[in-house]
Amino acid sequence: MRLINTSTGWVEEFLGRNIPKYAILSHTWEEEEVSFKDMSNSDHMRKKGYRKICKTCQMASQAGIPYAWVDTCCIDKSSGAELTEAINSMYRWYERAEICYVYLSDLPASAPLNTALRRCRWNTRGWTLQELVAPENIDFFDQDWNNIGSKQRLVRELEKITGIGEKILLHKQPLKSVLVAHKMSWAARRETTRIEDTAYCLLGIFGVNMPLLYGEEEKAFRRLQEEIIKSTPDLSIFAWTIPKTINPSQGPDERVYSGILAESPAAFSMAAVNPSGRSPEFSVTNKGIKSQVAMFIGPVPGKRGERYVLPLHNWSPASSRLGILLRKFDIDQFVREDPSTLIECSDRRRYAAPQEIYCPMEFPLPYKGSSIAEMRPLFLQFRLPPEMRIKYESVEPKSRYDVEDQLFFTPEPLGSDPCTLSLSLDVSSEFKAECTFIIASWWSGISMQYSLVHDEPFHSVLDDIRDKLGKQTCSNWQMLRYLASNNISRSRSVVISIPGGHTNVLISARHTLDPISQMVLSFEILETRKVPTILREKWEIEEKSRFIYQ
């Protein structure tokens, strides 16, 4: 660390923890600032910026502080290594200073503080955020170097201007206790000259370190978020929104998608989440952000059907619970949908068991909904009549199923991973017909092996099947053997008797590839005498070592 000797004006270097007491300057850069290189010749005294250095040293000396630090001349910016070290250390340097002098070059001496202070450029710059938060003692000065007050005296006005709480500003509350989204909101309306500095100026606020790569532009902010995720399990980092864009070529039902990470702090300008309980573990992987989380699955206001919502903090009966809308596009993989909105998901009954999911960090914006289908691998979609529904709690394995589009993702290889789901048909207000659909083998020769099974006679067997598939301990070969040994045959239809009469429900399944791979479910109410004979076939059980798709 380089410091200016307030007695001699010379720059001296100190290493390790042997740092003397020093004052520090906070300001906005202007014309003719004095650089580290300038300090080695006498011409630096003619530059406009020298007056700030002079006044800083003068005030520090009068306060009995032997050294001062000014960013313009105490960092050799021609050295990439030194610049990286300085930026990664900046917060601590401001924090450890005896006092920080804030020079407001655009604050007239006679201006009323209640209006003029808010308009100062110093409140809009990215780097000055940590310069306000880190030091415990700050004195503010107008353009004529008149002392207008300390941080303690001006704290109420500073809180209104910056949105930073009084307890944080006065060091009465640990910075680590503040949610990531709230910290980001402090920087949402601040600017930096270089794009990368939007991220680099926040390293100290979040207590993280990372190398500087000027030229990476917006990628720097993504790297910052990755480092934050590595250091804290705070889901509020995903509580960002972007303004809705009006695109004349975009239809009213066009859906917009994004990655799970924000593009800049500006996306957090409306952050409004509250801390609640413990957050689940999540991490950065090459597939995106990985999390083991209990998602909200159910209807969302203004959206069709059932949707996935990732809650941004744990359940709290005392507060509303916000989340982000997700769209499933592959096994365990989700993208964010409608990034202009946070979703309220307060119905606790709609939360599913924790599951492992991945969300890509980046995604083209805006991304048309029709393109999601192009991203998906092979799948089998279920088409149901309005009276019939799929019971999500009975779907296994859930990782392969998409509740919104009611489809199973086809496994690879095609002979592996059997699937099952339960169907419930509202026959009347008093009776529901329930059956189970089983895919025992995706392909055998040219046809899929599946069956519709009446729940009532096979309750225990079907429960055992769901348990095996949920634990992913059953291959297609084992499933075929298990079904055959329990007298469950292949059948494309199932008949269920309706109590109190001579009528039955005939539920049928038909596989079609036009226009996509679909399983079309239908039903009829028939008199007993008109029920057709149900064709039951044996399962084609291949040798265990043989791959069916070959």
Side-chain angles (χ1 to χ4, degrees):
M1 183 182 191
R2 291 191 175 91
L3 295 171
I4 306 168
N5 188 310
T6 59
S7 298
T8 66
W10 292 103
V11 176
E12 301 176 19
E13 187 171 6
F14 298 89
L15 301 175
R17 297 188 179 276
N18 187 28
I19 308 294
K21 292 182 178 182
Y22 61 92
I24 200 163
L25 176 68
S26 175
H27 65 116
T28 53
W29 280 50
E30 295 166 294
E31 294 179 353
E32 296 188 21
E33 295 289 358
V34 178
S35 69
F36 172 73
K37 185 178 179 181
D38 292 335
M39 291 292 284
S40 60
N41 60 71
S42 58
D43 290 342
H44 70 273
M45 297 182 184
R46 298 192 183 95
K47 288 194 168 186
K48 293 179 182 178
Y50 181 67
R51 185 164 182 262
K52 287 189 280 190
I53 298 172
C54 221
K55 290 294 293 185
T56 301
C57 291
Q58 180 185 335
M59 291 188 297
S61 181
Q62 289 172 354
I65 304 172
Y67 288 91
W69 187 89
V70 179
D71 59 346
T72 58
C73 62
C74 289
I75 303 172
D76 182 3
K77 296 178 180 63
S78 65
S79 167
E82 183 172 333
L83 183 61
T84 296
E85 180 184 358
I87 288 178
N88 278 274
S89 305
M90 195 83 69
Y91 187 91
R92 291 191 299 275
W93 289 351
Y94 275 88
E95 185 178 39
R96 293 170 182 170
E98 294 296 306
I99 190 167
C100 175
Y101 301 130
V102 174
Y103 176 60
L104 305 173
S105 60
D106 53 353
L107 180 64
S110 58
L113 284 182
N114 58 346
T115 56
L117 185 60
R118 178 179 293 274
R119 293 196 295 266
C120 288
R121 183 167 169 261
W122 186 84
N123 293 309
T124 68
R125 306 305 296 167
W127 289 106
T128 57
L129 173 59
Q130 65 180 359
E131 295 166 15
L132 170 65
V133 174
E136 185 172 359
N137 299 310
I138 298 180
D139 280 348
F140 291 82
F141 297 84
D142 63 24
Q143 62 185 203
D144 293 334
W145 287 94
N146 298 308
N147 190 323
I148 61 171
S150 65
K151 180 160 72 167
Q152 286 80 359
R153 177 171 172 258
L154 299 173
V155 67
R156 297 291 174 84
E157 191 64 29
L158 292 169
E159 182 179 13
K160 292 176 186 177
I161 294 169
T162 64
I164 305 171
E166 178 180 332
K167 290 183 178 180
I168 294 295
L169 290 173
L170 298 183
H171 291 205
K172 293 180 179 179
Q173 178 185 344
L175 188 59
K176 288 184 178 180
S177 68
V178 182
L179 289 178
V180 169
H182 289 165
K183 291 180 185 177
M184 288 290 189
S185 72
W186 301 342
R189 294 177 176 86
R190 291 175 178 263
E191 299 175 348
T192 57
T193 303
R194 303 195 67 164
I195 297 172
E196 298 85 353
D197 286 340
T198 301
Y200 301 157
C201 72
L202 297 176
L203 294 179
I205 294 292
F206 291 102
V208 298
N209 298 99
M210 65 186 205
L212 311 188
L213 300 172
Y214 283 105
E216 65 176 333
E217 298 187 342
E218 287 84 359
K219 287 184 179 179
F221 189 67
R222 194 190 86 174
R223 285 201 300 128
L224 171 66
Q225 293 172 91
E226 291 175 9
E227 292 301 320
I228 294 170
I229 288 170
K230 292 175 187 177
S231 66
T232 176
D234 182 354
L235 283 169
S236 77
I237 193 170
F238 308 128
W240 54 271
T241 55
I242 56 173
K244 266 190 177 172
T245 55
I246 300 174
N247 187 346
S249 64
Q250 184 172 311
D253 296 327
E254 192 96 82
R255 294 161 73 168
V256 177
Y257 302 97
S258 73
I260 198 167
L261 298 184
E263 293 192 330
S264 78
F268 291 88
S269 61
M270 302 299 289
V273 292
N274 296 311
S276 175
R278 297 176 181 173
S279 294
E281 178 184 354
F282 55 100
S283 57
V284 178
T285 74
N286 58 2
K287 283 177 66 175
I289 303 298
K290 173 185 174 182
S291 180
Q292 186 81 17
V293 64
M295 282 198 292
F296 175 90
I297 301 175
V300 170
K303 308 293 182 183
R304 296 175 184 171
E306 295 198 327
R307 300 296 183 91
Y308 294 97
V309 178
L310 175 68
L312 296 180
H313 45 75
N314 278 5
W315 171 259
S316 171
S319 64
S320 62
R321 197 174 188 193
L322 295 177
I324 55 174
L325 193 62
L326 299 181
R327 178 87 186 270
K328 193 167 188 174
F329 71 92
D330 201 349
I331 299 167
D332 295 332
Q333 295 191 57
F334 296 78
V335 293
R336 183 168 178 187
E337 180 183 344
D338 191 7
S340 63
T341 308
L342 294 179
I343 305 296
E344 186 170 342
C345 44
S346 298
D347 187 350
R348 195 172 187 178
R349 297 168 298 176
R350 288 285 186 170
Y351 284 81
Q355 59 177 302
E356 188 173 273
I357 67 169
Y358 294 85
C359 298
M361 290 174 278
E362 292 182 301
F363 216 65
L365 275 172
Y367 202 85
K368 293 183 179 180
S370 58
S371 303
I372 287 288
E374 297 171 8
M375 295 177 59
R376 284 174 161 166
L378 296 174
F379 57 85
L380 173 67
Q381 188 170 40
F382 290 81
R383 201 168 77 203
L384 279 63
E387 301 86 349
M388 190 179 293
R389 71 178 183 89
I390 294 171
K391 296 165 68 177
Y392 177 76
E393 61 272 15
S394 69
V395 172
E396 295 296 348
K398 288 182 172 59
S399 61
R400 290 201 175 279
Y401 184 70
D402 176 20
V403 68
E404 180 182 344
D405 291 330
Q406 296 184 320
L407 59 83
F408 272 121
F409 292 100
T410 306
E412 296 180 7
L414 291 176
S416 65
D417 290 357
C419 300
T420 184
L421 52 79
S422 291
L423 300 166
S424 179
L425 173 65
D426 291 329
V427 178
S428 68
S429 59
E430 299 176 352
F431 179 66
K432 296 180 187 292
E434 296 189 340
C435 63
T436 295
F437 183 89
I438 300 173
I439 302 175
S441 173
W442 285 91
W443 303 105
S444 179
I446 60 171
S447 62
M448 183 186 303
Q449 293 201 79
Y450 60 89
S451 185
L452 279 167
V453 183
H454 185 195
D455 283 5
E456 193 172 319
F458 297 102
H459 264 308
S460 60
V461 175
L462 295 174
D463 286 344
D464 192 34
I465 288 173
R466 282 188 281 268
D467 183 62
K468 291 177 186 294
L469 295 183
K471 296 176 180 176
Q472 297 184 329
T473 58
C474 185
S475 67
N476 73 294
W477 183 84
Q478 291 170 321
M479 175 60 72
L480 291 167
R481 295 290 297 264
Y482 185 78
L483 292 169
S485 65
N486 283 280
N487 299 316
I488 296 177
S489 55
R490 293 172 64 188
S491 176
R492 298 183 182 183
S493 301
V494 64
V495 176
I496 301 173
S497 298
I498 299 175
H502 302 287
T503 54
N504 300 267
V505 180
L506 174 66
I507 301 175
S508 303
R510 176 176 58 88
H511 184 221
T512 176
L513 295 173
D514 186 19
I516 58 174
S517 180
Q518 287 187 325
M519 190 63 65
V520 182
L521 280 296
S522 61
F523 75 95
E524 294 179 83
I525 307 294
L526 300 172
E527 294 179 11
T528 302
R529 60 186 179 86
K530 293 184 179 181
V531 173
T533 302
I534 303 302
L535 178 63
R536 303 187 186 281
E537 301 174 281
K538 291 184 178 181
W539 301 99
E540 296 179 18
I541 303 177
E542 305 285 341
E543 292 297 326
K544 186 175 180 181
S545 60
R546 182 179 173 188
F547 286 103
I548 295 175
Y549 65 91
Q550 288 181 338

